[in-house]
Amino acid sequence: MPAVMADPLTLPRLPHLPETGTGWRRVAKVVTAQRHLEGEGFQVRRPFPGVDLPLADPFLLLDQMGEVEYAPGEAKGTPWHPHRGFETVTYMLEGTFQHQDTTGGGGVIADGATQWMTAGAGIQHIEQPPPELVTKGGLFHGVQLWVNLPRSQKWVPPRYQDIEARDVKLLAAEDGASLVRVIAGSVAGYEGPGVTYTPITYLHATVAPGAQLKLPWPQDFNALVYSLAGRGTAGVEEVAVGDGRLAVFGGSHHKGDTDGLVVRAADSQALANKHGWEILILGGLPIREPIARYGPFVMNTRDEIIQAFEDFQAGRMGTIPAEKVPHLSAADEALD
Ligand code: MN
């Protein structure tokens, strides 16, 4: 799992957090990702939703795509489909995804890059493996995260941010053993490249076997740790978190000057995870508004969902460009 690799010894280090005086967050529960078929039939592991998870607010969905070694002809994507009311964030750890949208945007996301799409008022897009991956097969591993927008920002104009692998802020754990990639938000004052409407922090860490990773965490943010590959524990109470499992943190044990998150990688990891335990660490400021959600639309009320369908059918979420990828189906099949 390469994503962006670097020698942690060359990087800025996270600060020391004292054992006492830090408000270490407790693990509230551990959730197992469910397998789903998405788009034209590619498998994802989805830790949320699937269970009611207000503790994940402002995050709506997390899909781990792969890791998979596609045989020739096997790679699949999504047809054209709309979104309104939130943001989709696609982080490619390995392999390539290509996208195109109804604002004229498009490109390739590969090996450690992130595409941040604010659907806002409405957009249509398509997400596909590139033709050479379909023809030849190959490795594919990515993550798509949905970040909600508050009522006041659901109607912002759609926008894209293409975050290249080299833009990701790299940090080392306090002991220099583990690598932290800041994709969005900040940790200990180190800012990642992603610009967000809803305040969040989004990190990918490779925790060295047997090592502990401690992070200062905003007191008003929730906190989630998802195991992409490998195993370890979360919290000072060392709750086991295996492959494809999500640790949901609650409040802290003691009130501290600052809150902290702690995870520890198991001493031994599978051979495939030779760099260590691969985890996503994410959190944000809960929006705490009612959610009305149907397929690709996430609004506050049922009426707004009905309006979204009407606007989509009336062509008010953009027009699919003429030079579309050939095998893509009509947009009205695409409400998945
Ligand atoms: Mn989509």
Side-chain angles (χ1 to χ4, degrees), residues 81-146:
H81 59 280
H83 290 295
R84 172 180 280 178
F86 62 101
E87 306 185 86
T88 68
V89 183
T90 308
Y91 173 48
M92 285 306 297
L93 288 95
E94 195 150 16
T96 309
F97 222 22
Q98 67 180 27
H99 66 95
Q100 201 183 352
D101 75 75
T102 47
T103 69
V108 160
I109 326 165
D111 299 330
T114 299
Q115 180 223 55
W116 202 292
M117 186 184 84
T118 305
I123 195 170
Q124 290 185 63
H125 75 158
I126 178 162
E127 303 152 285
Q128 293 279 306
E132 53 282 15
L133 180 59
V134 178
T135 311
K136 292 184 191 158
L139 259 186
F140 183 84
H141 192 192
V143 179
Q144 190 169 91
L145 174 70
W146 290 13

